[in-house]
Amino acid sequence: MIRAMRLMGAGALPLFLGFLLDRLLLAFPASGMVRVPLSVLLLFAWGYFAFRLSDSLQNAVLQAFLLCAFGLLMLALTLYQELVMGSYWGNILGYGTQMFFLPWLSLAAFMAAPFTNIIRIWPLYIIIWAGLFLTGCVGCIRKQYR
């Protein structure tokens, strides 16, 4: 129970990372040539984070889901704002839902570019959450086989 709560709480880390990255990008603008490798590095860090926090005796997929549960909430709020309301809320919650996905936005856009010419952001958020979940699964599964 404690480990599950720790995993769920740790899942909020990308939100704080997104706020920090937003401030850094505003202070020091960077091109995609810098942001995409940074996104890849942060994705590997997420897998390592999952590896360190997971328990080798528990179900790896469930642990990865618990780690990504906060992200699923952020995804649901983002999709609601995008698809139902048609705009983001003008408060910290509307801003925060976008900041959660910011660290991996460049990578998702780079990966999706050859397959789509639609300029919508919400599919990228789905790709990011799926990438976080899969990376979390890999980290948790590696822990079981260690």
Side-chain angles (χ1 to χ4, degrees):
M1 183 65 165
I2 300 289
R3 186 169 298 273
M5 292 182 68
R6 192 170 89 180
L7 284 168
M8 291 174 68
L13 183 65
L15 180 63
F16 302 110
L17 188 60
F19 280 116
L20 176 65
L21 187 60
D22 179 52
R23 293 294 153 210
L24 285 172
L25 289 176
L26 288 174
F28 308 102
S31 70
M33 297 302 287
V34 173
R35 290 190 308 223
V36 170
L38 178 64
S39 294
V40 171
L41 177 69
L42 291 173
L43 195 59
F44 277 109
W46 183 256
Y48 180 73
F49 191 61
F51 174 81
R52 296 297 295 171
L53 288 178
S54 64
D55 183 1
S56 60
L57 302 177
Q58 301 294 323
N59 183 337
V61 176
L62 177 62
Q63 290 182 89
F65 181 78
L66 290 174
L67 184 62
C68 295
F70 185 81
L72 190 59
L73 174 65
M74 292 288 107
L75 180 62
L77 288 172
T78 302
L79 292 176
Y80 176 76
Q81 291 172 88
E82 278 268 344
L83 300 175
V84 176
M85 296 186 60
S87 65
Y88 286 94
W89 296 316
N91 56 21
I92 191 71
L93 192 57
Y95 181 62
T97 55
Q98 297 172 70
M99 291 303 104
F100 181 86
F101 298 102
L102 181 65
W104 297 282
L105 194 57
S106 296
L107 179 62
F110 177 75
M111 290 172 46
F115 304 108
T116 182
N117 60 359
I118 300 171
I119 312 227
R120 298 288 304 213
I121 197 81
W122 63 268
L124 298 179
Y125 291 153
I126 294 171
I127 291 169
I128 291 168
W129 188 86
L132 290 176
F133 178 69
L134 291 174
T135 305
C137 285
V138 169
C140 293
I141 289 169
R142 291 209 27 101
K143 180 75 167 247
Q144 288 184 336
Y145 290 106
R146 192 138 209 264

